[in-house]
Amino acid sequence: MNYESMPNAGNQEGLAVTESPLIQVRGVTRVYHQGTLEVHALRGVDMDLDDGEFTALVGPSGSGKTTLLNIIGVLDQPDSGTVTVAGQDVSQFDKGDAADFRLDTVGFIFQAFNLVPVLTAYENAEFTLLLRGVPAGERRKRVMRLLDRVGLADIADRKPHELSGGQQQRAAVVRALATEPRLVLADEPTANLDSETSAELMELMRELNGELGTTFLFSTHDPVVINRSRRSIRLLDGHIDGAADDVM
């Protein structure tokens, strides 16, 4: 975080304080092969993201948004370049390291919700805490606190098919935040929601960003998400398209 670029940083000593960004992407490329066809999803992307940001990756379909999000979350690997998250070069992780990193550092929110259909809202949120070996009392405390915060405490025992689309995505937000990750990656989180529900969800995540300090990075082309993000980074044809825009 570079306080020189933040007028309200409140540096009492009046001195510039510089820390390494939470995410550093340098020269990242990704090429997919479809038969004899090469699809260049990313073409030398450079990007920084500081702790606590609430930022949207913006661009049309095929611009590389989801690919970049997947590489940052170690769901995919670049063909060249480096990706550093929380001081770790995640582009060099093997499968075991990648799984541990995702469990400990990253929460995911998907456009199709990806809730386990046979589990309740509570159990879906609790599942990653079970994988981490968190004691039962602490699991319940964390999950119920978040379910209450997003307005789902009274229906925590319902399964996904008993929830509306907006409620399912709120449950997915709780699941993403239950492990107290430093970073939440959200891929088109409003794609299956109407505009009113999308706006409510974004306001909720923005409030949680402020309360918890969790960094949120979205991929989107939805104006509802873009207008409620604090910064947008534009991707076009696998490139960062000019400077990032501060939205606030």
Side-chain angles (χ1 to χ4, degrees):
M1 178 180 298
N2 186 345
Y3 285 172
E4 292 177 321
S5 65
M6 297 178 61
N8 296 320
N11 181 7
Q12 295 180 353
E13 301 298 325
L15 299 175
V17 177
T18 302
E19 299 174 1
S20 296
L22 175 63
I23 299 171
Q24 288 184 307
V25 177
R26 295 291 181 268
V28 164
T29 67
R30 186 69 173 100
V31 180
Y32 296 105
H33 297 274
Q34 299 178 351
T36 59
L37 180 65
E38 287 190 346
V39 178
H40 292 262
L42 297 174
R43 302 170 182 261
V45 170
D46 295 328
M47 185 187 79
D48 287 349
L49 202 75
D50 287 335
D51 249 327
E53 286 205 37
F54 195 77
T55 295
L57 288 173
V58 179
S61 297
S63 60
K65 305 185 304 295
T66 296
T67 298
L68 182 55
L69 214 66
N70 287 344
I71 287 174
I72 292 170
V74 207
L75 295 172
D76 195 4
Q77 289 188 315
D79 292 307
S80 63
T82 61
V83 179
T84 303
V85 181
Q88 302 179 77
D89 184 358
V90 301
S91 54
Q92 301 300 316
F93 280 175
D94 60 24
K95 289 184 178 179
D97 290 335
D100 289 342
F101 171 81
R102 289 192 295 268
L103 188 60
D104 293 336
T105 307
V106 185
F108 293 92
I109 301 170
F110 302 96
Q111 69 179 74
F113 316 138
N114 286 18
L115 298 173
V116 180
V118 298
L119 300 182
T120 65
Y122 176 89
E123 291 166 341
N124 266 281
E126 181 190 38
F127 185 66
T128 51
L129 297 178
L130 280 166
L131 294 177
R132 293 183 66 178
V134 176
E138 177 65 16
R139 293 199 306 268
R140 181 162 186 82
K141 177 182 175 183
R142 286 197 205 178
V143 173
M144 289 309 299
R145 182 177 67 242
L146 287 167
L147 286 171
D148 182 63
R149 181 63 186 81
V150 304
L152 296 181
D154 291 340
I155 53 175
D157 60 346
R158 293 188 186 179
K159 293 180 179 178
H161 73 275
E162 300 173 302
L163 301 173
S164 68
Q167 289 170 336
Q168 288 187 59
Q169 198 61 300
R170 285 171 182 252
V173 169
V174 172
R175 179 184 58 190
L177 291 170
T179 58
E180 299 177 352
R182 290 187 66 180
L183 173 65
V184 169
L185 301 174
D187 185 19
E188 301 282 3
T190 60
N192 292 320
L193 305 177
D194 61 56
S195 58
E196 182 178 353
T197 304
S198 296
E200 290 173 354
L201 179 71
M202 288 303 300
E203 289 300 331
L204 172 65
M205 288 193 286
R206 185 164 167 140
E207 289 171 8
L208 291 168
N209 164 253
E211 292 169 13
L212 305 176
T214 306
T215 304
F216 282 78
L217 180 62
F218 307 93
S219 71
T220 189
H221 55 264
D222 183 354
V224 172
V225 178
I226 297 167
N227 292 336
R228 285 165 175 78
S229 298
R230 293 188 171 89
R231 184 163 73 108
S232 63
I233 299 172
R234 301 184 184 279
L235 277 168
L236 184 65
D237 298 330
H239 295 284
I240 298 291
D241 182 29
D245 298 324
D246 289 322
V247 178
M248 303 303 290

